[in-house]
Amino acid sequence: AEMACFFGIDDWFRKKTTELSGGQKQLLNLASIMVMQPKLLILDEPTSQLDPIAASDFINTLQKINKDLGLTILMTEHRLEEVFPAADRVLVMDHGKLLLAEPPAQAGRDLKRIDQNHRMLCGLPSAVRIYHGLDAEEDGCPLTVREGRAFLEKNYENRIRSLSGLK
């Protein structure tokens, strides 16, 4: 009951699993594991079968578990827009070789230094891709849309205004 309340699933906790959506089933699976009070949670593409809204909700739940319960989460994931900025550490592998193991902003910068055309750059969050497309090196690598907007305003606002004819 405590885990059902923590996960916000108490309204549908007693339903048959065949009546649940994919996101609800994923949350139920996670809650059932959390009852065992693990010290480490290893997830392989946990959002792969979820629609974007359910995936976002699931990732937010993982962040809550990490922050509130202090649980270490090791995850492989292709949807990096939300996961990448939330990570404490990002590991990037290529052909079985570990390329990077560092905080997200540093990984966002260093991947391009390793290889300017690395395939992984295409999978990074949009703010990181824009940062790389501008060949920016100053002020750190933005990770979220909000950070990307602030980065552009700080570093490129005058250029944008001059190109558009605004004062």
Side-chain angles (χ1 to χ4, degrees), residues 7-147:
F7 282 90
I9 63 174
D10 39 341
D11 291 342
W12 50 264
F13 182 71
R14 302 229 183 264
K15 282 186 176 181
K16 293 179 181 181
T17 54
T18 56
E19 298 173 2
L20 301 177
S21 70
Q24 289 173 324
K25 288 177 184 176
Q26 196 73 316
L27 280 177
L28 181 62
N29 285 333
L30 184 57
S32 68
I33 295 299
M34 292 305 299
V35 167
M36 296 186 282
Q37 299 179 340
K39 293 186 179 6
L40 172 68
L41 188 60
I42 301 173
L43 302 171
D44 182 19
E45 298 286 341
T47 65
S48 64
Q49 300 297 316
L50 303 179
D51 63 72
I53 293 171
S56 179
D57 290 344
F58 188 79
I59 290 167
N60 288 334
T61 301
L62 291 175
Q63 289 177 296
K64 181 179 177 184
I65 290 170
N66 176 258
K67 286 181 176 58
D68 294 354
L69 304 178
L71 182 70
T72 298
I73 301 172
L74 179 62
M75 176 175 27
T76 61
E77 184 60 63
H78 280 89
R79 294 182 191 203
L80 296 180
E81 201 71 35
E82 293 178 58
V83 175
F84 195 84
D88 293 323
R89 197 160 217 52
V90 173
L91 282 73
V92 177
M93 296 184 74
D94 190 13
H95 294 69
K97 180 183 173 191
L98 184 64
L99 296 179
L100 301 170
E102 49 204 32
Q106 187 175 342
R109 282 191 319 264
D110 291 351
L111 185 59
K112 187 169 183 180
R113 290 183 186 145
I114 291 171
D115 179 356
Q116 289 187 354
N117 299 311
H118 198 281
R119 294 179 302 158
M120 184 62 171
L121 289 171
C122 296
L124 294 178
S126 55
V128 179
R129 292 192 318 265
I130 291 169
Y131 172 84
H132 284 292
L134 295 172
D135 288 326
E137 291 294 331
E138 65 278 347
D139 295 331
C141 178
L143 301 176
T144 64
V145 171
R146 178 175 292 184
E147 291 174 9

